[in-house]
Amino acid sequence: MKRFYALLIVALFAFAPALSAQSASFYNATRDAEKMIKKMPTHNYRRAYVGFNDAHINWKDFNHECEIMFPIKTGFTLGYLESRHIYDGLPLFVEYGANIQYLYGKEVLSEKFSAHFGKVCKANTFAINIPVNASLRLLFEDYKFAVTPYAGINFRLNLSGSLTHKGDKNSLYDKDQLYTFKRFQMGLNFGVAFTYDVYTLSIGRVADFSRIAKTGNNEIYKGRLGVTTIAVGYAF
């Protein structure tokens, strides 16, 4: 055991200069990065964008059957976003804006389900989203290229929506129906935006933590909506 401790002490002395150099190098790199970030411009930014959506409702129970009944799969978004700088010395912003979103989908059913729901199920929703985010805007290449990660809360207001079973089209918000969607949801909003000059490309995800569906005391129609958006836009 004494020999082991002796070898350990020798090893520490042998590697101490290298560890010290690595530590100093890491400290210098961290200090340089901090200086670079503090020098970045902190002017407010705005952008308009159009996006493609991949949507999915995660159901509490009977997930496959509910996906067939409510086949919301894809969609489009048109929106506007602006920012306000909130912290001196750092490119930290609060973002806020609004977008309109149309989600839709259809499912061609097998014989197992067609007797109950018809050969094709269709669903669509039209909503307004209001995102409120905190963002960090990092600028590179003479400040022409920006990377902006963000995270925050999304508020969703469903304006309209319909469900078609057996050729019959019904509102998703009709309280007289067996299955009813809620008008309002909240969710976690996060992603990253890339900007070069005035052109933007972003990818983001909204994961609702409030349920989109309710059916009285029936638990099987309770689900949460998740939407991934890939968007292109114009910054100004």
Side-chain angles (χ1 to χ4, degrees), residues 125-126 158-161 171-175 180-183:
T125 65
F126 181 71
N158 293 306
L159 300 177
S160 64
S171 171
L172 279 169
Y173 308 100
D174 186 350
K175 294 181 180 180
T180 305
F181 275 24
K182 295 181 179 180
R183 290 284 186 180

Side-chain angles (χ1 to χ4, degrees), residues 3 7 26 39 55 61-62 75 139 162 174 183 191 196 203 231 236:
R3 184 180 180 183
L7 291 172
F26 177 76
K39 289 181 179 178
D61 296 303
F62 302 98
L139 292 163
S162 66
D174 186 350
R183 290 284 186 180
Y196 182 77
I203 180 168
F236 52 96

Side-chain angles (χ1 to χ4, degrees), residues 70-219:
F70 308 96
I72 291 175
K73 298 179 179 181
T74 189
F76 300 94
T77 296
L78 178 66
Y80 169 81
L81 190 74
E82 67 177 63
S83 71
R84 288 291 180 270
H85 182 238
I86 58 173
Y87 192 85
D88 290 338
L90 286 177
L92 189 63
F93 298 81
V94 59
E95 297 180 337
Y96 50 89
N99 65 69
I100 54 175
Q101 188 175 78
Y102 178 72
L103 301 177
Y104 65 94
K106 72 175 183 178
E107 189 76 32
V108 178
L109 307 186
S110 65
E111 292 183 3
K112 177 181 177 181
F113 296 102
S114 61
H116 299 283
F117 307 113
K119 293 183 178 181
V120 177
C121 287
K122 298 179 181 179
N124 66 75
T125 65
F126 181 71
I128 292 178
N129 291 289
I130 300 176
V132 181
N133 307 316
S135 67
L136 182 66
R137 192 166 191 249
L138 305 175
L139 292 163
F140 307 94
E141 298 292 334
D142 295 328
Y143 305 137
K144 283 190 174 182
F145 179 66
V147 179
T148 311
Y150 64 87
I153 299 294
N154 184 72
F155 303 94
R156 176 183 174 90
L157 177 63
N158 293 306
L159 300 177
S160 64
S162 66
L163 185 67
T164 302
H165 290 165
K166 290 186 176 180
D168 295 328
K169 187 176 181 180
N170 298 293
S171 171
L172 279 169
Y173 308 100
D174 186 350
K175 294 181 180 180
D176 294 331
Q177 297 296 320
L178 174 63
Y179 20 77
T180 305
F181 275 24
K182 295 181 179 180
R183 290 284 186 180
F184 178 76
Q185 280 88 49
M186 291 178 59
L188 181 63
N189 185 37
F190 55 92
V192 61
F194 303 94
T195 303
Y196 182 77
D197 198 6
V198 296
Y199 305 103
T200 66
L201 172 67
S202 63
I203 180 168
R205 173 77 175 172
V206 174
D208 285 352
F209 43 73
S210 60
R211 292 188 176 108
I212 193 172
K214 62 179 181 179
T215 316
N217 295 323
N218 194 333
E219 292 288 326

